[in-house]
Amino acid sequence: MSETTMPPKIFVTRSIPETGLDLLHERLDVAVYETDRQISKPELIDRVQGMDGLLCLLSDPIDAEVIAAGSQLRCISTYAVGYNNIDLDAATSRGIAITNTPGVLTEATADIAFALMISAARRIVESDAWLRRGNFEGWAPKLFLGHDLTGKTLGIIGAGRIGQALARKAAAAFNMRVLYHNRSRDNTFEAEQNAVYTDLDTLLRDADVVSLHVPLSQETHHMIDARAFETMRPHAILINTARGPVVDERAMIDALRTNRIFAAGLDVYEEEPAVPDELIALPNAILLPHIGSASIETRNKMAEMAARNLIDVLEGREPPHRVI
Ligand code: NAP
Ligand code: GLV
Ligand code: GLV
């Protein structure tokens, strides 16, 4: 092989499933971060130098500094659908393609939102922990009373792929009425799910369960703030599988502590992976470690898609899923 036909060089910030790594190894010169932990920013800056492509995680800060260090980069392929960790302006100004993994994780993530919704409504995690502490002394009329979901109203904020999948599951399982709020209306969704479009305040005022599915952006940062919690119903449940900073976490802790709302089911946090002690102490919060897409089947498909995206861009083809 001559110098000019050497395969493009890529860096993978953490080992991903073999379905993706095998594809990468067939076509590219692959280096994978050797330890199974979050790479630090200085290490990232060091390792991205001289690379044609980067395969990163949603927890890697791909800011202007990292992008500048990767002066040879032609593609950044993120192993996620959300790409709020990547500085798109810095990438655009250097002509770097950004790709992501939409669609393949839709059902898995909606399933986690659905699980959080039932678990919060029926206090499943809290009562399991209570039994394990040796407290169960027999059936009791008022033991761990929660709320029914059947016939209740689900408010979806950000009814895109995942939000609509949750709406479909909730309508089928619990005959829930669906309200939604996006920047624009979706006539097909309205026709297929009997979904009703509302402004944000109406949704917050009328929903029994509010579930967040917007991407994190300047517009959606702290979309759910102290005022939003004042607007919600006292028995309302908040589900967040989107991104932590969409919710003002301090305001949420206050609302949960004072029973201003009934419960929260969370997969994401404002300063991930940090979770405030005050939140950990609250019995009416369910706290998952960002496992929305964490099924074996889904992670395999994401790995394959992230690999194909990177290979296609580096070999001069249009990739399956390009953000910019
Ligand atoms: P999507 O199909 O793009 O849906 C996003 C929805 O949000 C769209 O319907 C969009 O509609 C709406 N939206 C965007 N900006 C808005 C705004 N300012 N105000 C109101 N609505 C707004 O994305 P998806 O595939 O469903 O994924 C959604 C997000 O879920 C991802 O960005 C990611 O952060 C998160 N996620 C988390 C996990 C996890 O593990 N917990 C897994 C996968 C994804 P309009 O454009 O009409 O506003
Ligand atoms: C997970 O949070 C994703 O954005 O894919
Ligand atoms: C509960 O177990 C019942 O039989 O009602």
Side-chain angles (χ1 to χ4, degrees):
M1 200 182 264
S2 76
E3 202 61 29
T4 49
T5 57
M6 293 289 280
K9 289 164 77 155
I10 67 150
F11 179 59
V12 181
T13 65
R14 194 156 180 178
S15 186
I16 61 167
E18 299 303 322
T19 51
L21 288 181
D22 290 348
L23 282 174
L24 293 170
H25 280 293
E26 279 172 24
R27 315 292 296 223
L28 306 171
D29 179 353
V30 184
V32 181
Y33 187 55
E34 294 74 13
T35 38
D36 193 24
R37 65 166 164 78
Q38 173 69 40
I39 193 168
S40 71
K41 192 169 154 192
E43 286 173 294
L44 189 53
I45 286 174
D46 180 47
R47 298 297 294 271
V48 83
Q49 290 172 35
M51 294 294 161
D52 301 296
L54 177 67
L55 195 149
C56 69
L57 309 183
L58 63 91
S59 44
D60 298 326
I62 313 297
D63 58 13
E65 221 183 328
V66 171
I67 289 171
S71 57
Q72 247 173 262
L73 284 176
R74 286 189 281 135
C75 180
I76 298 171
S77 166
T78 188
Y79 183 61
V81 65
Y83 47 83
N84 54 284
N85 59 312
I86 303 172
D87 186 330
L88 294 190
D89 291 338
T92 306
S93 70
R94 288 169 178 270
I96 302 171
I98 306 294
T99 64
N100 67 340
T101 65
V104 289
L105 44 53
T106 295
E107 297 300 325
T109 309
D111 288 348
I112 281 289
F114 187 87
L116 283 169
M117 177 172 77
I118 307 176
S119 303
R122 296 301 300 273
R123 305 174 64 180
I124 288 177
V125 176
E126 185 190 358
S127 57
D128 174 287
W130 179 87
L131 178 145
R132 287 170 201 269
R133 289 194 299 270
N135 292 312
F136 187 34
E137 289 177 353
W139 193 90
K142 294 182 182 171
L143 188 58
F144 285 106
L145 299 184
H147 289 284
D148 285 330
L149 290 171
T150 298
K152 294 287 176 68
T153 298
L154 170 63
I156 305 269
I157 300 179
R161 288 171 293 247
I162 299 168
Q164 292 193 14
L166 175 65
R168 182 173 35 75
K169 289 171 202 289
F174 295 118
N175 196 24
M176 290 180 89
R177 182 169 84 100
V178 176
L179 308 179
Y180 79 104
H181 176 72
N182 284 356
R183 289 168 303 184
S184 52
R185 289 179 69 156
D186 182 331
N187 295 325
T188 311
F189 178 50
E190 291 181 25
E192 285 176 2
Q193 292 299 326
N194 280 330
V196 175
Y197 183 83
T198 70
D199 59 53
L200 183 59
D201 273 9
T202 304
L203 183 148
L204 292 170
R205 203 173 49 241
D206 289 354
D208 301 299
V209 178
V210 174
S211 192
L212 307 177
H213 302 282
V214 286
L216 176 59
S217 66
Q218 275 178 3
E219 280 177 41
T220 64
H221 182 267
H222 282 195
M223 201 174 191
I224 304 301
D225 57 8
R227 209 188 57 84
F229 287 110
E230 286 305 315
T231 310
M232 288 169 73
R233 310 180 78 163
H235 64 262
I237 292 166
L238 177 70
I239 305 299
N240 188 8
T241 60
R243 283 292 182 268
V246 175
V247 177
D248 178 341
E249 209 163 69
R250 305 300 332 167
M252 178 177 65
I253 290 167
D254 283 347
L256 289 168
R257 192 193 283 130
T258 57
N259 297 311
R260 184 62 203 79
I261 63 169
F262 182 68
L266 309 171
D267 191 38
V268 289
Y269 306 89
E270 243 193 299
E271 305 282 347
E272 231 169 279
V275 181
D277 289 342
E278 298 95 317
L279 191 51
I280 287 177
L282 287 171
N284 54 349
I286 299 174
L287 311 175
L288 300 183
H290 204 149
I291 56 168
S293 66
S295 74
I296 293 165
E297 298 89 339
T298 292
R299 288 283 165 85
N300 284 344
K301 288 183 199 150
M302 288 166 63
E304 220 173 292
M305 186 175 282
R308 287 195 194 284
N309 282 333
L310 193 49
I311 292 166
D312 281 354
V313 174
L314 293 180
E315 294 185 351
R317 292 182 299 272
E318 192 53 34
H321 291 288
R322 187 174 177 142
V323 178
I324 56 165

